[in-house]
Amino acid sequence: MNIRQSLSIASVLLFIGGSLCGQNGGIDNQTLEQIKKNSTIAGESKAIQTAVSGNDINKLALNRNNPVYNDTYFSNKVVSKGICNQKSSGRCWLFTGLNVLRAKVIAKYNLGEFQFSQNYCFFYDQLEKSNLFLQAVIDTRNKPFEDKTVEWLFKNPIGDGGQFTGVVNLITKYGVVPSEIMPETYSSNNTSRMSQLISLKLREYGLQLREMAAKGEKLPALTKQKVEMLSTIYRMLELNLGTPPTEFVYTQKDASGKPVSTKTYTPQSFFKDFVGVDMSNYVMVMNDPTRPYNKVYEIEYDRHVYDGENWKYLNLPMEDIKKMAIASIKDSTMMYFSCDVGKFLNSDNGFLDIDNFDYSSLMGTSFNMDKKQRIQTFASGSSHAMTLCAVDLDENGTPKKWMVENSWGPTHGFKGHLIMTDKWFDEYMFRLVVDKKYIPENIQAMLNQKSIMLPPWDPMFAVEE
């Protein structure tokens, strides 16, 4: 056999091997050539390639003819004073929940700009989440490390994200304080480093608890060890966030800055006497088209406090949710609201609209998944909480657009707010917390049904940042 024959046989074998590779799911040379052939960039596409490769896609895909950009009028709006800034933290859920209460307090006492201390509540949020993790490790101590729940726990020991259930559980248990009583720190505004260290320590502690259980240690010994571990976590939180007050003096001032009264409070008495809101009146509703409507769902471990409640939601069609939201706004009551904020957001002006960017024309392909399909494939989910404060209705009472008070500072978006068209609201709104008095009786009756339990790795697990 000469060299030429050997090369020919080798070529045939390579071709056969490549074909088999392609048939087995890989990309062989023949498949690669077909891909290239079907995706040739030439002529006009060369210019697009040059533009896309060197620029922000959103800048190129921006629809500058979108008429919604100049429409900032709202027929119904709840008055608010002062925009918060969560800075480099995932505490939007906490800012939003406290801002719902803040609006009530400002109106009740005719205050000027007023804020609750997010740092105070965040301190106990992190302590309670640490206990939730350690206690869950104890509860699952007899399961193998490869068990999916155990695996999920060690993947997610703690975080700064959350949802409205955490707000309810935390302030009901620990109360609230004004912002000047426990102000923000560097670590509260920039949570990543502290969170990394606490997560590392919790994982270490989790392993120690499982090792103790494997050696035959009983529940009382594990519980005692857990308390000692939480003392270390408490100290780490004190170093980063400060020491939470147990008693303080607060001077109430009216909108002009004139002192009205000076009293001594505990955080619990301040919530009870000064705020005076019944948190049990709030109900969480959601639009989740992946599951049947008019059912109550509960997500395991989706809570901030071990002895609190898992997050539950009543799944409703969008038209029912909108009616409640409109009724609440017309009655000057803000709501906790969450959505997939990063989709079609024009950060320059704070508008959210599905026509903001023409990705299809730029990329030469269409993006056709609906809301249900995006949720199923993890392409969309609730990512950020804000305070729903306004709606613009047409002459028939149909919403045209909505506005939320955000927590990204007063210079972001439209004067610290984001404005969303009703079309965007349909596609990317997920959760709303509504006072029961705005919920029709027939829908309230649905809340009495037994909730359907979902696992913590479900796409609807609420981590709003």
Side-chain angles (χ1 to χ4, degrees), residues 35-207:
I35 291 172
K36 291 179 180 179
K37 181 180 179 181
N38 294 338
S39 182
T40 302
I41 295 179
E44 184 178 291
S45 296
K46 282 284 188 181
I48 297 176
Q49 180 190 37
T50 301
V52 172
S53 62
N55 292 277
D56 179 356
I57 289 176
N58 273 5
K59 298 294 184 183
L60 299 174
L62 180 64
N63 180 4
R64 301 184 185 280
N65 295 319
N66 195 343
V68 304
Y69 288 160
N70 299 317
D71 187 4
T72 59
Y73 168 80
F74 283 86
S75 60
N76 302 87
K77 182 180 178 182
V78 183
V79 177
S80 63
K81 298 178 181 179
I83 298 296
C84 299
N85 192 342
Q86 68 186 80
K87 298 189 177 178
S88 297
S89 74
R91 299 174 295 158
C92 69
W93 58 275
L94 183 55
F95 278 75
T96 300
L98 290 176
N99 283 345
V100 170
L101 299 180
R102 180 182 71 149
K104 288 180 174 292
V105 168
I106 288 175
K108 179 180 178 180
Y109 297 107
N110 186 33
L111 304 178
E113 288 194 16
F114 172 85
Q115 286 190 38
F116 292 105
S117 170
Q118 292 86 12
N119 189 29
Y120 172 80
C121 293
F122 184 57
F123 183 102
Y124 286 112
D125 169 71
Q126 296 294 281
L127 181 65
E128 287 284 357
K129 284 178 179 173
S130 298
N131 178 65
L132 174 61
F133 168 76
L134 294 175
Q135 189 59 48
V137 169
I138 292 174
D139 293 344
T140 59
R141 62 191 181 277
N142 295 323
K143 293 184 178 182
F145 202 78
E146 296 75 20
D147 177 82
K148 192 163 186 178
T149 298
V150 175
E151 179 184 272
W152 181 88
L153 287 169
F154 277 89
K155 280 184 177 179
N156 305 276
I158 197 172
D160 56 2
Q163 29 73 23
F164 191 76
T165 297
V167 178
V168 175
N169 289 159
L170 289 167
I171 66 178
T172 300
K173 188 171 185 177
Y174 295 103
V176 290
V177 303
S179 58
E180 60 265 33
I181 301 301
M182 188 171 176
E184 296 290 304
T185 67
Y186 180 85
S187 289
S188 68
N189 284 325
N190 303 271
T191 56
S192 61
R193 188 68 66 198
M194 181 187 76
S195 182
Q196 288 171 7
L197 292 173
I198 292 178
S199 293
L200 186 63
K201 198 63 186 175
L202 287 174
R203 289 184 172 109
E204 176 188 335
Y205 282 159
L207 289 176

Side-chain angles (χ1 to χ4, degrees), residues 58 61-69 318 322 339-346 349-361 366-371 374 380 400-402 419-430:
N58 273 5
L62 180 64
N63 180 4
R64 301 184 185 280
N65 295 319
N66 195 343
V68 304
Y69 288 160
M318 190 62 76
K322 288 180 182 179
C339 63
D340 193 354
V341 73
K343 301 299 191 296
F344 296 96
L345 167 63
N346 186 335
N349 58 19
F351 276 80
L352 292 151
D353 182 57
I354 60 175
D355 295 322
N356 271 351
F357 305 101
D358 185 3
Y359 298 121
S360 297
S361 295
S366 57
F367 301 91
N368 297 319
M369 284 196 293
D370 59 21
K371 187 174 186 178
R374 290 193 298 269
S380 184
K400 297 187 292 183
K401 63 183 184 298
W402 305 79
I419 296 174
M420 59 198 71
T421 61
D422 193 59
K423 291 187 297 182
W424 190 94
F425 193 97
D426 285 336
E427 295 296 324
Y428 296 105
M429 174 272 173
F430 284 97

Side-chain angles (χ1 to χ4, degrees), residues 296-419:
V296 176
Y297 297 89
E298 177 180 356
I299 303 179
E300 187 179 14
Y301 288 120
D302 198 357
R303 61 187 189 272
H304 295 229
V305 179
Y306 181 82
D307 50 345
E309 294 184 351
N310 289 325
W311 181 68
K312 296 179 181 178
Y313 68 89
L314 174 60
N315 195 27
L316 293 174
M318 190 62 76
E319 54 267 26
D320 290 336
I321 294 176
K322 288 180 182 179
K323 289 177 184 177
M324 300 174 197
I326 292 170
S328 184
I329 292 171
K330 283 185 173 181
D331 196 34
S332 298
T333 301
M334 292 185 177
M335 289 154 285
Y336 182 102
F337 163 96
S338 72
C339 63
D340 193 354
V341 73
K343 301 299 191 296
F344 296 96
L345 167 63
N346 186 335
S347 297
D348 293 336
N349 58 19
F351 276 80
L352 292 151
D353 182 57
I354 60 175
D355 295 322
N356 271 351
F357 305 101
D358 185 3
Y359 298 121
S360 297
S361 295
L362 184 64
M363 294 297 174
T365 187
S366 57
F367 301 91
N368 297 319
M369 284 196 293
D370 59 21
K371 187 174 186 178
K372 178 179 179 180
Q373 293 168 329
R374 290 193 298 269
I375 294 172
Q376 289 173 325
T377 59
F378 297 89
S380 184
S382 185
S383 62
H384 185 56
M386 297 172 283
T387 313
L388 188 61
C389 63
V391 62
D392 187 27
L393 305 174
D394 65 16
E395 60 276 7
N396 299 316
T398 302
K400 297 187 292 183
K401 63 183 184 298
W402 305 79
M403 185 163 69
V404 290
E405 178 183 289
N406 202 2
S407 54
W408 292 346
T411 61
H412 188 278
F414 175 66
K415 301 177 181 179
H417 298 74
L418 297 182
I419 296 174

